[in-house]
Amino acid sequence: MILALIPLVTGTYWVRVLTGTLMFAVLAQAWNLTGGFAGYPSFGNTAFFGVGAYATGMLMVAGMPFALALPIAIVVGVVFALIVGLPVLRLSGHYFAIATFALAAIARSVVSIIPSRGGSDGVTLPLSPFSADVTTTLFYYAFLALALITLITIALLQRSRVGYALAAIRADEQAAWTMGINSTLYKNIAWAISAVVTAAAGGLYAYWTTFIEPTSVFDPTIDVKMIIMVLLGGSGTVLGPIVGAFALEIASQLIWQQFLTLHGVILSILIILVIFFIPKGIVRRTIARVKQKAPVA
Amino acid sequence: MSLQLLANLIYLGVFYGALAAGFSLIWGVLNILNLAYGAFIVLGAYATYYAYSVFHIDPFLFVPIAMALMFAFGYLVHVGLIDRLRDERIFTILVLTFGLQLLIVNVANLTFKADFRSITLPYTGAGFYAGGVSIPYTWLAETAWALAFVGGLTLLIGRTWLGRAIRAVALDKNAARMCGIDVRRVFALTFGIGSAIAGGVGSLFIVTSSVNPESGGALTLDAAVIAAFGGLGSTLAAIVGGIALATVETLASVFLGPSYRSLAAFALLIITLALRPQGLMGRRYFAQIEH
């Protein structure tokens, strides 16, 4: 089950692409926690991403070193998540989706409006003290580390009490309550962990690109990409989001290289096709195929 | 509050209400958030634009044709795509409609280019003055159509056989099936009707605002907010929601500044969802179809 991800020493272009892919892998896994395992599809994870990014950015602009800014940004992200989780997690289904979407939109508006945070002009972070090449590689490893940590956490979580609780909640929340599962507690745990990971990714992202502004960081496309990756890879599975992230990003890059103008059209058709033909995700399909071919035990 | 402001509010509110009516219908009956709704509006708008620039058909006269076109389009989309989806989890359908929206936007970008289009009629600036309030002629026509949409929908749902079938399906799909109602057909027709309204709204929209392929997103969002706020299950709820959103937006714009418009809208939404998730006038049993 453990993918040996070989840190590639290839050209800088692909390292950057893969770094981005790893970031999405992290985001997708975070989404999977609430969306796939618990069954609460959130359209607002960009809010945490942005909060993490902006918190890191502003702290660093005020002079704090990255190693200190990032953890604080994560804490800010979690606190924010728990606060907004209070009203939002009470909803379910479509309403939850809309509420989380509104959340991200509000976060975006608030940040653009308040002038002290650089408003819509954005925040420029100090550059890393290392050279460009070293920096690129460093960030690759940073995101790789984050992705692995998340992976291990989620894998452990799935087998733990929390994981079972979430699965019960997804299947039938009322029945879960009847069985004594405090769904609110577990939903919040999933939500908080999701926020931690997403905010961390946001903070790393901010330092990586050194310039953030509301539209780029709170971009709803990021959310949708997360969701599609999870869908593609298999929601509710441990490896699904990672597989989905890699598949989508690499496909996206290749398509972009070949079909510059048609890129958007092809991508959207691809999304629709995925939904029809691989609704359960690649991981589940692969497992099913493997089981079919294995001799009956 | 000046009378002009009040007139603005009524105009905007009714328009928003019509905007949301189609979305609310689809949501209430099929339990689908049609994320491509805004894109449908934009398609209706583009059809009207070309009808005007090439054939010189007045947009207000083109409305029924736009509606018919979008009805057919919506019906086909449902039968061809949505109905074929065997996996009915909420979020797969959401992603499907989102993919559809992306597709429409991208194709529109290629065919129509990304410029903003708008229609300026010979009588666009003209209006009349009554009691200190200036009312452009275009407003009158738009409000008339918007009321027609909502009124027509109410009559359809309340008085016709189809309307009764739609209500039955919305309340309990299986029981409706047992009564002999072809549920799939009703779903397809409802989706078509909702899309038709979108098309009609598009025709109206292009007269007062400029449209480009990306405009759909904001419109879908507006429709969702209004539908959620007003509640599902009645067309009056859509109008109430529309007026509420118009009021909140206008007040925010006037007292806080134009950049606070969307913030106010979303704040309204979150508060609604937190305090009264079914919306102001939401009726029970709508949008409860298990997916």
Side-chain angles (χ1 to χ4, degrees):
Chain A
M1 280 241 327
I2 299 176
L3 294 167
L5 286 168
I6 307 160
L8 298 160
V9 189
T10 54
T12 340
Y13 174 70
W14 279 104
V15 173
R16 292 193 130 250
V17 170
L18 287 171
T19 312
T21 312
L22 284 169
M23 180 180 85
F24 271 106
V26 169
L27 293 176
Q29 289 184 80
W31 191 92
N32 194 21
L33 201 53
T34 49
F37 285 113
Y40 274 73
S42 155
F43 275 76
N45 279 17
T46 27
F48 305 140
F49 187 73
V51 165
Y54 262 89
T56 313
M58 287 172 51
L59 286 173
M60 290 190 68
V61 163
M64 204 181 284
F66 182 65
L68 197 54
L70 189 60
I72 297 185
I74 294 179
V75 170
V76 170
V78 175
V79 169
F80 175 69
L82 288 174
I83 295 178
V84 298
L86 278 173
V88 164
L89 286 172
R90 285 200 283 144
L91 308 164
S92 58
H94 281 319
Y95 291 105
F96 178 76
I98 294 185
T100 47
F101 186 85
L103 200 64
I106 291 182
R108 188 178 357 175
S109 304
V110 166
V111 170
S112 332
I113 288 173
I114 301 182
S116 66
R117 299 180 184 208
S120 13
D121 294 335
V123 174
T124 316
L125 287 87
L127 294 171
S128 103
F130 306 108
S131 78
D133 276 345
V134 174
T135 313
T136 317
T137 327
L138 266 181
F139 274 107
Y140 177 82
Y141 284 112
F143 273 111
L144 180 62
L146 189 58
L148 282 175
I149 294 175
T150 318
L151 177 66
I152 296 174
T153 313
I154 292 187
L156 288 175
L157 214 55
Q158 193 201 26
R159 286 158 172 62
S160 75
R161 200 190 193 96
V162 178
Y164 281 110
L166 292 178
I169 292 173
R170 183 182 69 215
D172 188 333
E173 188 161 351
Q174 282 192 321
W177 263 114
T178 327
M179 299 292 280
I181 295 178
N182 183 348
S183 70
T184 314
L185 172 67
Y186 289 108
K187 278 192 287 190
N188 273 297
I189 292 180
W191 184 248
I193 297 180
S194 192
V196 164
V197 170
T198 312
L204 268 179
Y205 175 79
Y207 197 26
W208 185 40
T209 49
T210 66
F211 177 68
I212 53 177
E213 49 164 4
T215 35
S216 68
V217 164
F218 288 105
D219 190 357
T221 323
I222 299 180
D223 251 319
V224 180
K225 271 177 116 170
M226 273 191 246
I227 296 176
I228 295 175
M229 287 170 180
V230 174
L231 191 63
L232 183 58
S235 76
T237 63
V238 174
L239 287 176
I242 301 183
V243 170
F246 274 88
L248 188 66
E249 272 302 287
I250 295 182
S252 193
Q253 282 294 318
L254 291 173
I255 293 177
W256 197 53
Q257 284 173 342
Q258 301 294 320
F259 300 103
L260 199 49
T261 36
L262 287 179
H263 162 245
V265 176
I266 295 184
L267 219 48
S268 38
I269 295 182
L270 215 63
I271 292 174
I272 296 180
L273 287 176
V274 165
I275 294 182
F276 275 102
F277 293 113
I278 325 179
K280 299 286 183 193
I282 293 177
V283 171
R284 290 215 182 90
R285 207 134 184 269
T286 321
I287 293 179
R289 284 247 182 92
V290 167
K291 277 190 184 156
Q292 272 181 336
K293 289 186 181 162
V296 178
Chain B
M1 187 188 298
S2 75
L3 276 182
Q4 179 71 55
L5 198 56
L6 195 59
N8 287 5
L9 270 182
I10 295 179
Y11 160 72
L12 195 59
V14 169
F15 181 76
Y16 272 162
L19 175 78
F23 188 85
S24 177
L25 179 70
I26 295 178
W27 187 0
V29 175
L30 289 93
N31 198 13
I32 291 177
L33 292 183
N34 183 6
L35 295 179
Y37 189 75
F40 286 8
I41 297 181
V42 167
L43 284 179
Y46 271 115
T48 318
Y49 178 80
Y50 280 106
Y52 183 71
S53 46
V54 175
F55 300 108
H56 301 293
I57 305 177
D58 185 299
F60 294 115
L61 295 176
F62 189 71
V63 168
I65 305 181
M67 289 179 76
L69 283 173
M70 290 316 294
F71 175 83
F73 185 72
Y75 190 89
L76 288 172
V77 162
H78 183 90
V79 167
L81 284 177
I82 298 178
D83 206 29
R84 303 233 171 149
L85 199 60
R86 283 305 139 213
D87 173 11
E88 291 181 328
R89 286 175 294 171
I90 286 180
F91 99 95
T92 4
I93 298 184
L94 281 175
V95 176
L96 178 62
T97 47
F98 183 79
L100 186 62
Q101 193 241 15
L102 267 186
L103 184 61
I104 295 179
V105 169
N106 278 301
V107 169
N109 256 324
L110 287 177
T111 32
F112 303 121
K113 304 295 178 269
D115 312 317
F116 280 89
R117 320 262 179 167
S118 152
I119 294 182
T120 318
L121 298 160
Y123 52 89
T124 294
F128 62 90
Y129 229 55
V133 177
S134 103
I135 301 179
Y137 289 128
T138 44
W139 278 22
L140 282 180
E142 281 188 38
T143 313
W145 269 119
L147 288 173
F149 293 155
V150 179
L153 188 63
T154 318
L155 284 177
L156 178 75
I157 304 238
R159 304 281 174 100
T160 67
W161 205 96
L162 174 63
R164 238 179 281 153
I166 292 178
R167 272 182 287 152
V169 166
L171 288 172
D172 189 332
K173 151 172 110 167
N174 290 314
R177 198 175 269 145
M178 284 193 269
C179 288
I181 295 178
D182 184 349
V183 170
R184 285 177 63 191
R185 195 110 176 281
V186 169
F187 276 166
L189 285 171
T190 314
F191 197 82
I193 296 174
S195 313
I197 296 184
V201 167
S203 295
L204 301 179
F205 194 64
I206 199 165
V207 175
T208 42
S209 318
S210 40
V211 167
N212 87 342
E214 310 276 336
S215 313
L219 289 169
T220 311
L221 200 55
D222 280 337
V225 170
I226 298 168
F229 180 73
L232 302 171
S234 80
T235 40
L236 187 59
I239 296 253
V240 167
I243 295 183
L245 183 66
T247 315
V248 166
E249 275 191 353
T250 313
L251 287 179
S253 203
V254 164
F255 289 115
L256 296 173
S259 42
Y260 283 85
R261 268 188 66 215
S262 36
L263 182 60
F266 288 121
L268 177 68
L269 178 65
I270 291 250
I271 293 175
T272 315
L273 290 177
L275 296 178
R276 195 181 157 87
Q278 71 268 42
L280 216 56
M281 298 173 59
R283 303 232 199 101
R284 292 168 65 203
Y285 305 125
F286 282 89
Q288 301 263 338
I289 291 183
E290 289 300 313
H291 273 295

